[in-house]
Amino acid sequence: MAVLPDVYRDIVEIIADAPGPVQAKQIVPRIGLPTTTGKIDGTRGKLKRLVERGWLDEDAPGQFTLARQGPGHDRTNFRSPRGSSP
């Protein structure tokens, strides 16, 4: 997780410690930001980027959890080498 910038690392740690799915509006105050619409939207964008990069899953719209496959597994663009299975 050291490859992530501090704010992204903080977000992943908050989600890792949560008992269930977390929404952006729950994360914003925990990372020290005011709960304004702009800060919530910005945090949601960070959460979506973490999903794209394989750190998080979005099981339902706006509900984020740790990725089951772990970071580095780009599920949308994954291609296995010829002759091998995923």
Side-chain angles (χ1 to χ4, degrees), residues 41-68:
D41 289 343
T43 300
R44 188 175 298 110
K46 288 177 177 63
L47 290 162
K48 299 272 188 183
R49 276 184 230 114
L50 287 165
V51 169
E52 290 171 4
R53 289 172 175 83
W55 289 91
L56 302 178
D57 286 333
E58 187 176 13
D59 296 328
Q63 301 287 318
F64 299 91
T65 58
L66 282 181
R68 289 172 200 65

Side-chain angles (χ1 to χ4, degrees), residues 5-67:
D6 290 343
V7 70
Y8 286 87
R9 191 171 32 240
D10 292 344
I11 290 169
V12 171
E13 288 175 2
I14 289 166
I15 292 175
D17 292 341
V22 181
Q23 296 178 318
K25 66 182 177 182
Q26 296 170 300
I27 293 173
V28 170
R30 294 180 185 172
I31 58 174
L33 298 174
T35 53
T36 62
T37 301
K39 298 301 181 185
I40 293 169
D41 289 343
T43 300
R44 188 175 298 110
K46 288 177 177 63
L47 290 162
K48 299 272 188 183
R49 276 184 230 114
L50 287 165
V51 169
E52 290 171 4
R53 289 172 175 83
W55 289 91
L56 302 178
D57 286 333
E58 187 176 13
D59 296 328
Q63 301 287 318
F64 299 91
T65 58
L66 282 181

